[in-house]
Amino acid sequence: GYITQQLRRLGASCDWGRERFTLDEQCSKAVAEAFVRLHEKGLVYRGEYMVNWSPNLQTAVSDLEVEFAEENGTLYTFKYRLSPLDGGEKE
């Protein structure tokens, strides 16, 4: 991906033959187990807050990288009808 390409261009000296994606089936279980252990130790938690999502970057951004500003706006919601196959009502 993009991050790997950036690291290579920066000259990172890694064992690229062992590169893995955290959502690959092989790694996914290990990642989930690691987060469970960290949660049990109180080192990570699930909070009730908004994530700083950048539509331009298409990724989450750290609080340290965000300039906060109050802004009036509108929050839209959509309600979709489900088909009978998905548990919705028949028409």
Side-chain angles (χ1 to χ4, degrees):
Y2 294 116
I3 294 174
T4 301
Q5 292 171 8
Q6 290 172 345
L7 288 171
R8 289 177 191 233
R9 277 186 263 147
L10 288 170
S13 178
C14 302
D15 184 356
W16 297 110
R18 295 175 50 182
E19 178 186 9
R20 299 288 180 267
F21 178 59
T22 54
L23 294 179
D24 287 342
E25 187 175 341
Q26 181 181 3
C27 297
S28 185
K29 290 179 185 177
V31 171
E33 183 179 328
F35 271 95
V36 168
R37 287 182 182 178
L38 291 169
H39 183 268
E40 288 172 347
K41 292 179 181 181
L43 298 174
V44 294
Y45 63 93
R46 185 175 186 166
E48 299 288 331
Y49 57 89
M50 296 288 289
V51 173
N52 301 316
W53 178 260
S54 169
N56 185 38
L57 299 173
Q58 291 291 297
T59 189
V61 183
S62 164
D63 283 344
L64 299 174
E65 301 173 296
V66 174
E67 294 178 10
F68 293 96
E70 291 288 331
E71 189 173 303
N72 290 328
T74 306
L75 178 63
Y76 296 96
T77 60
F78 299 90
K79 184 175 181 179
Y80 294 97
R81 289 185 178 179
L82 297 177
S83 75
L85 297 175
D86 293 327
E89 295 180 18
K90 294 181 182 179
E91 293 188 11

